Amino acid sequence: MVQKHSNELSWDGLQAILLVARHGTVRAAAAEINVAHTTLAHRIKVAERAMGVSAFVKSVRGYSLTDEGALIV
């Protein structure tokens, strides 16, 4: 089955942003809801694309909210 990729904002994307904002890392946030960290990172990417903003600045230490991300949260 071929999966369609959507640029629509979904609850899953918003939930991913909220969880990562709370935990600081994708891995810790993904563990809370028992999904792969790659799945959560993808949900964030789709949500950011749908909103036209970057919610986070990514670094080796984790994710930090941008000004736009703080408004979302």
Side-chain angles (χ1 to χ4, degrees):
M1 181 164 94
V2 175
Q3 203 174 22
K4 293 181 182 179
H5 294 284
S6 173
N7 286 335
E8 294 180 15
L9 185 58
S10 70
W11 167 245
D12 287 341
L14 291 173
Q15 178 190 39
I17 291 169
L18 291 170
L19 287 169
V20 173
R22 183 184 313 146
H23 291 282
T25 67
V26 172
R27 286 187 188 273
E32 181 176 317
I33 60 170
N34 199 31
V35 298
H37 72 279
T38 54
T39 298
L40 206 64
H42 177 73
R43 290 177 184 174
I44 291 169
K45 186 177 183 181
V46 170
E48 288 177 327
R49 193 176 325 136
M51 293 183 291
V53 299
S54 293
F56 298 100
V57 174
K58 295 119 182 138
S59 73
V60 294
R61 293 185 181 182
Y63 282 40
S64 301
L65 285 170
T66 61
D67 291 339
E68 293 86 357
L71 290 173
I72 294 164
V73 172

